[in-house]
Every structure is written in structure tokens, then in C-alpha cells.
């Protein structure tokens, strides 16, 4: 990218090059044996004080495990500062920005493609583990026992990664599932939402919004992607979130618009056309109705 015209979506093979534009990136990244998985120690990041990564999306899930130090990262437009004995999860296709990581940070960074779990039912991760859901709190505080157990598994995963052996795929995925099940116990019990098909469709809809918001702004388009009727999509979303499918679509448009206003080089009129295919005045009315501010007022506050 020579100009910041949109929020880039990165596949795994593009991440090393993307990071190298904004920070000194030392860790070895396997592109052959582990195309669906990567892990490195935070200690291997050279010059952590300059580790700032611009807003982007990834087609893979990732998490940062902090044993020592602090880091600042965003999920959507929400910023989080997390410290020792914590882990930050980011689901695929969510906008994120990594603002900083302290020089004394110790732990692991890991990302993986959900295809590594090809033996599991579709959407298994988001159904079973709240931290893979689009609107969940991404930070989990770990007890000392949990931290030690997960650190042991992450060291094993690092060994598997360095072996460059494609036969290790199932071993990697099994170890990841142990991590997720262990962390799940750290999360207080929550009242379960309606699950099964309603929950699955709602999560698939949120993911589709993250992937296709520039191209589609009509509920009927997303219903077609999900192979259901618009009415059924709305029923699923309403049951699980107490919001309409249109509400979530508008929220995603506003999130994308705010991110472009804050971080891109585009003028407001260009954002209106690129994101909503609207003239600037219609876009401004939509933005103010959703946020209480005009795009210019929001831009001046950034």
C-alpha cells in the first residue's frame, strides 16, 4: 500500500511484510510447513519500543500471551491496555491496531487459520469459546496455575513450529484446543444466549459484515451469502442480540467510517463514496444520526 485508502485485510503470508513496514521484525515465519499457524516469543521482537502497527484486519485468529510487561491494542474502536498474566484474543476479520509493547515484555504471539480445525463443526470456536466472538471482551486475566499450564503448552507449540513438519498440524490444533478449554474456565459463567442455529447464523453474519462491508450494505445481500431469507436473518440476530440485522450493519458502517476518518488519507467525500456509495451530505446525515456528531466533528476530536 502506497496510500492509506482503506483498512487492509491480510492473509497469513502477507503479515511478515506488513509488519516490517512499521517495525523491526526479527522472528522467523514459516511459510511452507505451517501456512495455517505461526508462533513466536515476544522476546524475539527487536526494538519493541517502535512496535506500532497501523489498523488492519487479518483472515486468521490471533492472541498475545503476556507473562511480563504491558501492551496496548485495539479491537474495533475499543482500546485495551493489558499486563502480566493476561491474554488478548482477536477473532479473524476484526479491525485492530497494535499501539505499543513494553521493552520488558515476555510471552508469545500466535496466529492460526480456523482451517487447522478441519475436523470440527463449522463455527465451533465462536460457539464454544466467548473470546472468539466479535463483540466479546478480548482480555482474559489468568491465575498463576493457568498461566503456567498455558506457558508449558505454548513452549511445546513453538517446538512443533520449529520442526517444519506438516505432519504436526493435528498436534498443533489439539494443543490449541487445550489452551482454549483451559482459558474458558477462567471466564465467569454467563447466561447462555439462544444457541444452535440462531447463534451460529448471528456469528456468521457478524463475520460476513467484517469481510464484505465495502461491497454490500443491504440485508438481502448478506442473507443471500448465508443462504437464508432476510426475515430469518433478522429473527436470529434479534433473538441473540436484541438488535436488528440492520442495526448491526449500521454499527459496522460507523466503525469502518470512524476508522477511515481517523487513520486514512481520504477526505470525507471520498469515504462517503468508498464506504457507502453516497454523496457527502447523505453520509454526514447518516453518521450524525448514528453517533450524534458530524464526520467533521468526529475528525476534529481524533
Amino acid at each position: 500500500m502506497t496510500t492509506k485508502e482503506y483498512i487492509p485485510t491480510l492473509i497469513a503470508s502477507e503479515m511478515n511484510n506488513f509488519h516490517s513496514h512499521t517495525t523491526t521484525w526479527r522472528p522467523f515465519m514459516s511459510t511452507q510447513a505451517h501456512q495455517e499457524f505461526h508462533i513466536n516469543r515476544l522476546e524475539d521482537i527487536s526494538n519493541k519500543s517502535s512496535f506500532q502497527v497501523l489498523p488492519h484486519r487479518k483472515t486468521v485468529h490471533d492472541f498475545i500471551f503476556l507473562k511480563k510487561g504491558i501492551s496496548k491494542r485495539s479491537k474495533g474502536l475499543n482500546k485495551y491496555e493489558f499486563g502480566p498474566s493476561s491474554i488478548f484474543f482477536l477473532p479473524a476479520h476484526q479491525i485492530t491496531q497494535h499501539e505499543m509493547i513494553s521493552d520488558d515484555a515476555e510471552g508469545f504471539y500466535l496466529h492460526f487459520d480456523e482451517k487447522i480445525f478441519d475436523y470440527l463443526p463449522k463455527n465451533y470456536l465462536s460457539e464454544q469459546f466467548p473470546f472468539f466472538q466479535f463483540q466479546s471482551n478480548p482480555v482474559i486475566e489468568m491465575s498463576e496455575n493457568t498461566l503456567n499450564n498455558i506457558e508449558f503448552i505454548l513452549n511445546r507449540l513453538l517446538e512443533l513450529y520449529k520442526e517444519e513438519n506438516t505432519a504436526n498440524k493435528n498436534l498443533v490444533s489439539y494443543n490449541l484446543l487445550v489452551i482454549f478449554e483451559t482459558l474458558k474456565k477462567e471466564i465467569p459463567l454467563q447466561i447462555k444466549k439462544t444457541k444452535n442455529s440462531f447463534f451460529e447464523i448471528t456469528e456468521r453474519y457478524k463475520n460476513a459484515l467484517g469481510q464484505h462491508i465495502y461491497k454490500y450494505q443491504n440485508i438481502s445481500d448478506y442473507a443471500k451469502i448465508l443462504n437464508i431469507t432476510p426475515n430469518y436473518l433478522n429473527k436470529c440476530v434479534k433473538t441473540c442480540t436484541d438488535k436488528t440485522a440492520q442495526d448491526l450493519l449500521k454499527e459496522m458502517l460507523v466503525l469502518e467510517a470512524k476508522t477511515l476518518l481517523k487513520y486514512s488519507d481520504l477526505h470525507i467525500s471520498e469515504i462517503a463514496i468508498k464506504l457507502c456509495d453516497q454523496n457527502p451530505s447523505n453520509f454526514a446525515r447518516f453518521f450524525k444520526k448514528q453517533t450524534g456528531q458530524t464526520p467533521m466533528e468526529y475528525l476534529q476530536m481524533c
Side-chain angles (χ1 to χ4, degrees), residues 193-195 198-199 202 235-242:
K193 297 178 180 179
T194 302
K195 302 193 84 171
F198 279 16
F199 180 84
T202 301
K235 181 179 180 180
C236 293
V237 174
K238 187 71 174 177
T239 300
C240 293
T241 69
D242 203 29

Side-chain angles (χ1 to χ4, degrees), residues 56-58 74-77 90-96 133-135 252 255:
H56 61 285
R57 288 188 175 93
K58 294 190 283 284
S74 65
K75 178 183 180 184
L77 285 178
L90 190 83
H93 301 288
Q94 177 65 275
I95 295 174
T96 187
Q133 296 168 14
F134 239 56
Q135 297 177 336
M252 181 58 71
L255 170 61

Side-chain angles (χ1 to χ4, degrees), residues 112-220:
F112 64 93
D113 194 306
E114 198 158 333
K115 290 185 291 186
I116 202 169
F117 300 104
D118 53 11
Y119 52 86
L120 292 177
K122 194 172 183 180
N123 300 309
Y124 180 87
L125 295 184
S126 60
E127 289 184 5
Q128 296 298 319
F129 309 110
F131 36 86
F132 284 113
Q133 296 168 14
F134 239 56
Q135 297 177 336
S136 65
N137 185 338
V139 180
I140 301 172
E141 302 291 337
M142 296 176 286
S143 65
E144 183 177 357
N145 186 55
T146 295
L147 183 145
N148 292 334
N149 289 337
I150 291 179
E151 184 180 20
F152 177 84
I153 300 171
L154 289 171
N155 278 308
R156 176 58 181 145
L157 285 169
L158 186 59
E159 292 175 7
L160 292 171
Y161 185 73
K162 290 179 178 178
E163 287 177 8
E164 288 279 344
N165 186 347
T166 55
N168 287 339
K169 175 180 175 179
N170 282 346
L171 282 174
V172 168
S173 65
Y174 298 155
N175 277 282
L176 286 173
L177 283 176
V178 173
I179 290 175
F180 304 154
E181 290 289 353
T182 302
L183 286 170
K184 188 177 180 180
K185 296 178 181 179
E186 297 286 276
I187 302 174
L189 293 176
Q190 301 176 0
I191 299 174
K192 293 184 178 180
K193 297 178 180 179
T194 302
K195 302 193 84 171
N196 302 325
S197 61
F198 279 16
F199 180 84
E200 176 186 349
I201 288 171
T202 301
E203 286 301 307
R204 287 172 58 200
Y205 174 56
K206 292 176 185 176
N207 291 335
L209 286 172
Q211 295 180 56
H212 304 296
I213 194 64
Y214 282 89
K215 188 174 182 180
Y216 301 121
Q217 281 97 41
N218 293 314
I219 301 302
S220 59

